[in-house]
Amino acid sequence: MRLPLLILHILAGSIGLLTGTFAIAVRKGSRLHRASGNIFTVAMFTLACSAFCLAIMKSQHGNIIGSIITFYMIATAWLAGRRRGIGRLDFAALLVGAGGAVAVIALGIWTLHHPDKNAPAAMCFFMAAVLLLAAAGDVRMLARGGLTGRPRIARHLWRMCFGLFIATGSFFLGQQQVFPAFLRGSIFLTVLAVLPFPLMIYWLIRIRFRNAYTVQPKPTPIAVAS
């Protein structure tokens, strides 16, 4: 089972990297953006599920948690992009986010005493902080009964970009053996790995100052004199 899963994992990761980059580059809300975003979502779900199974087979605790985080971030981002209200899946996502944060913090504490190159303590605490931030966003959304306008787009955007970062970081930094020797450990691969972050900041700033993402008030009816 390991070889078919590994092939599926590589194919899904390759498709996810290509479609995720394309979805960021094209105009938001366009047909190309929606189509590439849907393919990216399916690819990342496949990537996360295959990584989860492979991590269990190899007893890699860090990758088990990483695959769950990837699935959670992409799922909540996709839900934010598809609808404005809330449902049972949003409550389930909150439990996954909060539970994942606790698990990652526990893994980070354990790693401080038992160093693991596959799950450094600093990375564990960084991922835990992101999960706590995401879980806080879930609570805020549930308390409001849903999100519209800029907050909804921002929620969709940053979670998708973070999911893409997990893919780029895992490939360009975690699989450097597939690159030529002169590129391994270079700043070039590091830039490619963290590229989703500056793109995310650019789009967050852009939607912050564009009126297209504001919630327009309902028009007030005007009485017409007969």
Side-chain angles (χ1 to χ4, degrees):
M1 285 296 295
R2 183 177 295 184
L3 181 59
L5 278 174
L6 182 60
I7 295 174
L8 178 64
H9 181 74
I10 294 173
L11 288 175
S14 301
I15 295 172
L17 287 173
L18 293 174
T19 54
T21 303
F22 187 79
I24 290 180
V26 299
R27 184 172 63 87
K28 303 300 171 281
S30 65
R31 182 178 298 178
L32 286 175
H33 175 75
R34 291 193 296 269
S36 58
N38 287 334
I39 298 173
F40 171 72
T41 299
V42 174
M44 291 301 292
F45 282 163
T46 306
L47 179 73
C49 292
S50 58
F52 181 79
C53 296
L54 288 170
I56 291 178
M57 292 179 181
K58 298 179 181 180
S59 299
Q60 296 175 336
H61 302 93
N63 289 340
I64 291 175
I65 294 177
S67 61
I68 295 174
I69 294 173
T70 302
F71 195 96
Y72 161 76
M73 297 298 287
I74 297 299
T76 53
W78 183 81
L79 288 172
R82 296 284 295 181
R83 62 186 185 182
R84 294 171 174 81
I86 59 175
R88 294 180 180 178
L89 290 177
D90 298 294
F91 287 95
L94 172 60
L95 296 178
V96 173
V102 173
V104 176
I105 291 173
L107 178 62
I109 295 174
W110 185 86
T111 308
L112 287 175
H113 301 88
H114 305 83
D116 182 359
K117 64 178 182 180
N118 294 318
M123 180 57 69
C124 289
F125 292 129
F126 169 72
M127 297 296 286
V130 172
L131 276 176
L132 289 174
L133 178 64
D138 293 343
V139 172
R140 182 183 180 187
M141 182 192 69
L142 293 173
R144 290 185 172 187
L147 295 175
T148 57
R150 289 194 185 108
R152 183 179 71 88
I153 301 300
R155 175 183 173 88
H156 169 77
L157 176 65
W158 87 264
R159 290 171 187 247
M160 280 293 189
C161 286
F162 193 84
L164 179 60
F165 161 70
I166 294 177
T168 56
S170 299
F171 179 62
F172 291 112
L173 296 182
Q175 302 296 328
Q176 295 198 24
Q177 70 276 8
V178 304
F179 294 98
F182 71 92
L183 283 177
R184 297 171 191 171
S186 67
I187 189 65
F188 177 72
L189 294 181
T190 303
V191 169
L192 291 177
V194 301
L195 187 59
F197 283 132
L199 293 175
M200 176 186 70
I201 293 172
Y202 165 78
W203 282 109
L204 286 175
I205 293 175
R206 184 167 179 177
I207 67 173
R208 175 66 180 82
F209 295 102
R210 284 197 62 179
N211 294 329
Y213 301 108
T214 58
V215 179
Q216 301 295 333
K218 295 181 179 180
T220 304
I222 300 174
V224 178
S226 58

